[in-house]
C-alpha cells in the first residue's frame, strides 16, 4: 500500500496505528512502489475486503491498496547458509 505525503511523521503515525490492529500479524515498512506491506490474518476473502474498506481506506493518508491472497505457504525445513560458509555440496546456479 502507499501513503501520502511520504513524510516521517505520516509514516510513523500510520505504522503505529496499523500495528495495533487485531488483524495485523506482520507489518513491513518498504522501499520502492509501496510504502507498507501488511500481513493480516482474517477468516476469508470477505474479511480481507472488510479490512481494506473498513480499516485501511478510512485513513486519509492511504492513497493505494493492493491485495495479494496466499493460497499455500511452503517453507523448507532448514535454510542453507549464504556466503562463503555454505557447504561445498550446495548446488551452484549458472
Amino acid at each position: 500500500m502507499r501513503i501520502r505525503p511520504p513524510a516521517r511523521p505520516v509514516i510513523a503515525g500510520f505504522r503505529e496505528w496499523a500495528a495495533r490492529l487485531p488483524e495485523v500479524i506482520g507489518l513491513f515498512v518498504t522501499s520502492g512502489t509501496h510504502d507498507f506491506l501488511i500481513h493480516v490474518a482474517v477468516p476469508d476473502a470477505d474479511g480481507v475486503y472488510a479490512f481494506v474498506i473498513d480499516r485501511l481506506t478510512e485513513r486519509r493518508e492511504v492513497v493505494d491498496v493492493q491485495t495479494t491472497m496466499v493460497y499455500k505457504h511452503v517453507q523448507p525445513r532448514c535454510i542453507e547458509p549464504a556466503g562463503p560458509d555454505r557447504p561445498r555440496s550446495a548446488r551452484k546456479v549458472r
Side-chain angles (χ1 to χ4, degrees):
M1 58 171 299
R2 289 183 13 226
I3 62 171
R4 292 294 176 262
R8 187 179 296 269
V10 176
I11 291 170
F14 181 84
R15 181 186 66 226
E16 291 168 14
W17 172 81
R20 290 191 305 268
L21 296 174
E23 301 92 342
V24 174
I25 59 175
L27 184 133
F28 306 85
V29 181
T30 61
S31 65
T33 306
H34 301 97
D35 300 310
F36 288 91
L37 171 66
I38 301 176
H39 185 188
V40 299
V42 293
D44 52 27
D46 288 335
V48 174
Y49 180 76
F51 180 78
V52 171
I53 297 303
D54 299 335
R55 301 276 199 186
L56 296 181
T57 60
E58 75 179 9
R59 302 286 297 209
R60 292 184 325 165
E61 66 267 45
V62 173
V63 295
D64 185 44
V65 177
Q66 179 181 8
T67 61
T68 302
M69 300 292 286
V70 175
Y71 295 121
K72 183 175 270 199
H73 182 198
V74 179
Q75 291 182 295
R77 294 194 184 271
C78 68
I79 298 173
E80 295 291 330
D85 295 336
R86 76 172 181 222
R88 290 182 180 241
S89 64
R91 245 177 42 185
K92 292 183 180 178
V93 177
R94 294 180 189 237

